[in-house]
Amino acid sequence: MLDPNTIIFLSGFCLSFVLGLVIAASGFCAFGAIADWVSFGDRGRLGAWLLAITTAAVGVFLLQLIGPLRLADAVFPYTSSNFNPLRYTLGGFIF
């Protein structure tokens, strides 16, 4: 019998793998969405991209509000009152 941590890890891996395949097959790309909007005036992919960001942000908020997720205990201080622009700039460039 597998321990709970291994089950969670394998479940997360399988879900990530399937979502990665779907994203690759659908052409979901932030740069492509912006390029379509600027070049052709097509906002279809941009709307999907913004919907995905909004869904993720609302989902994290709800998980934190309900209780299973505590961002204050995270390794990176997401809810910290200290603003370090170098950290966020460097993270943006790495992304």
Side-chain angles (χ1 to χ4, degrees), residues 19 22-33 44-53:
L19 289 176
V22 169
I23 288 170
S26 67
F28 185 81
C29 172
F31 182 75
R45 284 204 293 179
L46 185 63
W49 186 63
L50 292 174
L51 178 64
I53 291 172

Side-chain angles (χ1 to χ4, degrees), residues 21-78:
L21 288 175
V22 169
I23 288 170
S26 67
F28 185 81
C29 172
F31 182 75
I34 294 170
D36 284 354
W37 178 44
V38 170
S39 299
F40 308 114
D42 182 18
R43 296 183 189 161
R45 284 204 293 179
L46 185 63
W49 186 63
L50 292 174
L51 178 64
I53 291 172
T54 304
T55 303
V58 168
V60 168
F61 173 74
L62 289 175
L63 284 173
Q64 185 175 358
L65 186 67
I66 293 168
L69 181 66
R70 290 190 37 86
L71 292 179
D73 297 338
V75 174
F76 299 104
Y78 293 111

